Amino acid sequence: MVQALGRLKESASQTAGPYVHIGLTPNFAGIAGVYERDLGTAMVNDKTRGERIWVNIRVIDGAGSPLKDALVEIWQADAAGIYNSPSDLRGSADPNFTGWGRLPTDMTTGECMFETIKPGRVPFFDGRKMAPHLTVWIVARGINIGLHTRMYFSDEETANAEDPVLMRIEQRERVSTLVAPRDGNIYKFDIHLQGINETVFFDI
Amino acid sequence: MTNSRFPANRTPEIGAFFQRDRNWHPPAFTPAYKTSVLRSPQRPLLSLDNTLSELTGPVFGHNILGELDNDLIHNFAGPGESAIGPRILVYGRLLDERGIGVAGALLEVWQANAGGRYRHKKETYFAPLDPNFGGCGRTITGEDGSYCFRTIQPGPYPWPNGPNDWRPAHIHFSIFGHGFAQRLITQMYFEGDPMIWRCPIVRTINDRRAIEGLTAALDMEATIPMDARAYKFDIVLRGRRSTLFENRIEGN
């Protein structure tokens, strides 16, 4: 016998279920008066620095149908590439930018639309700069553990080509599943849960 | 979400998180839970060590909280009213895998009422709504990771999976840690509920010990006599490595 490591086990994940809105976006669910506003609906204000953009996200199942009961969270750096988090010790983030957003997909169209800014570049752990990206986290009925992916920007070709994470993707044709095309000020990011265009998901 | 809202006596940790044990967590594809069939990725996940994008995460200040946010018995009730059902406290600590309390972390909960009915437009179960029960709550953990909710015990409810599947009584929990890689959503079950071991969603988890880890214990010592019984539910998030001997470039 040897000494015990004395570690606990992480609580096991369970699906968020079809009524995730009750807890995380109650006003959207029609439960008024408990919280003033749903958390994560406003990432920016008039003073936020950076290029103002909109990110349109859909989550599509293996039959090609957009999920109408998904909940999407995004986490991103500010325009200077600093995260609004105590764990980012590199300096102060833009106080007018939360970096974190949460929206349900529409019950009719399956779309959600984040108003945010384009993030700056953040260093990888070896010092190389990553391309601008959003972390995207999805939960829904039928998803047993939250899915973690990234959205990159189609008009950042140079940065994307040298991004250390995108370079890790062995099947090069899959890189495009993480790159959202730009149309005006809107980036459209379709996340495919399974099938021929399956989005790259991370264990990170 | 600024550094000033973080507990002042703690230096933020920046070490990478322990890897997730994906044999302990439920896999994506669990066909007995039918919706997972078309919503599960089929390709392997891409693994890499944490970058700043996963080591950092949003931190929420107490300024978002209203006075009744952690009291589901009263936070949707009319003046002088309260929700119907068995009155309970749900309390515990948010820890990481090292056993260290996770301070200043946002916990959000949601649940059905005492009859198993959710207040949601997509819900068609004919058990009635309770006019004094909404079903959402939230709180922020204390310095030692402790938290407490007051609520009513939810009822089991039927769902269209198999022809006669019923969920055990459960409360959904959403948890933020200090880094986005710790983000977790899970469900809490109640000690002694015979529905737990019959449930296809519970059984997406392959390890019995992991299911027991989601089952809250009745705690008579924490029960408030003549008022509310207590259930203790500790939640564990991913631990993180010490950076003492890691030769990492500045900024990580």
Side-chain angles (χ1 to χ4, degrees), chain A residues 61-186:
Chain A
D61 73 13
S65 303
L67 271 56
K68 291 161 185 172
D69 52 11
L71 185 98
V72 181
E73 293 187 0
I74 65 175
W75 172 242
Q76 61 168 108
D78 69 7
I82 307 286
Y83 281 102
N84 192 345
S85 164
S87 306
D88 193 337
L89 307 178
R90 296 170 303 146
S92 290
D94 181 350
N96 294 297
F97 183 60
T98 68
W100 175 78
R102 170 194 281 170
L103 287 175
T105 57
D106 185 88
M107 290 188 190
T108 309
T109 64
E111 296 182 2
C112 60
M113 183 83 94
F114 291 91
E115 184 183 4
T116 182
I117 51 102
K118 205 165 175 186
R121 295 180 74 172
V122 175
F124 194 55
F125 46 73
D126 63 6
R128 284 179 291 165
K129 278 201 174 349
M130 296 189 280
H133 64 275
L134 318 180
T135 291
V136 183
W137 190 74
I138 308 155
V139 292
R141 174 173 67 103
I143 295 176
N144 291 322
I145 182 166
L147 293 169
H148 189 120
T149 187
R150 286 184 176 194
M151 188 199 99
Y152 288 83
F153 299 83
S154 64
D155 53 339
E156 294 285 344
E157 284 175 36
T158 310
N160 291 346
E162 60 188 26
D163 180 81
V165 174
L166 293 179
M167 286 202 274
R168 289 280 309 275
I169 299 173
E170 193 180 347
Q171 296 88 12
R172 297 312 295 161
E173 72 281 0
R174 299 195 69 205
V175 171
S176 63
T177 67
L178 303 186
V179 181
R182 179 168 193 155
D183 179 10
N185 285 330
I186 301 174

Side-chain angles (χ1 to χ4, degrees), chain B residues 76-248:
Chain B
F76 192 76
E81 302 287 336
S82 61
I84 290 173
R87 297 159 60 88
I88 58 171
L89 306 176
V90 176
Y91 84 95
R93 286 181 70 205
L94 179 64
L95 305 162
D96 78 8
E97 289 169 305
R98 299 168 299 176
I100 297 171
V102 182
L106 178 69
L107 300 184
E108 297 164 285
V109 295
W110 67 102
Q111 61 170 93
N113 69 19
R117 172 69 189 270
Y118 282 96
R119 185 175 286 278
H120 192 280
K121 59 189 90 166
K122 291 269 178 85
E123 165 66 283
T124 55
Y125 184 36
F126 50 73
L129 286 169
D130 176 346
N132 293 303
F133 186 76
C136 60
R138 63 187 179 185
T139 191
I140 291 175
T141 57
E143 283 289 289
D144 59 351
S146 60
Y147 77 91
C148 184
F149 290 99
R150 178 195 292 270
T151 186
I152 54 99
Q153 190 163 9
Y157 82 105
W159 58 299
N161 184 63
N164 190 22
D165 278 336
W166 293 69
R167 298 300 327 279
H170 64 280
I171 298 175
H172 295 265
F173 273 76
S174 162
I175 307 111
F176 287 86
H178 295 162
F180 208 63
Q182 290 178 302
R183 190 78 181 86
L184 182 70
I185 283 183
T186 188
Q187 299 181 30
M188 180 198 107
Y189 305 104
F190 290 85
E191 177 184 352
D193 185 344
M195 304 303 294
I196 293 172
W197 305 100
R198 293 175 166 89
C199 174
I201 288 177
V202 173
R203 292 165 65 134
T204 61
I205 299 171
N206 290 317
D207 194 315
R208 188 182 181 94
R209 292 167 304 162
I211 295 170
E212 289 165 349
L214 298 183
T215 307
L218 176 67
D219 184 352
M220 289 308 291
E221 280 69 34
T223 286
I224 307 171
M226 308 302 288
D227 180 349
R229 287 175 309 143
Y231 280 89
K232 176 184 157 291
F233 184 57
D234 285 348
I235 304 158
V236 182
L237 298 181
R238 296 168 71 174
R240 63 195 315 171
R241 295 203 299 264
S242 155
T243 49
L244 288 174
F245 294 99
E246 289 202 23
N247 183 20
R248 287 206 152 177

Side-chain angles (χ1 to χ4, degrees), chain A residues 9-10 12 14 83-84 133 142, chain B residues 1 21 25 33 53 186 189:
Chain A
K9 291 294 284 186
E10 185 186 13
Q14 291 270 260
Y83 281 102
N84 192 345
H133 64 275
Chain B
M1 285 190 275
D21 179 351
H25 285 288
Y33 173 26
S53 302
T186 188
Y189 305 104

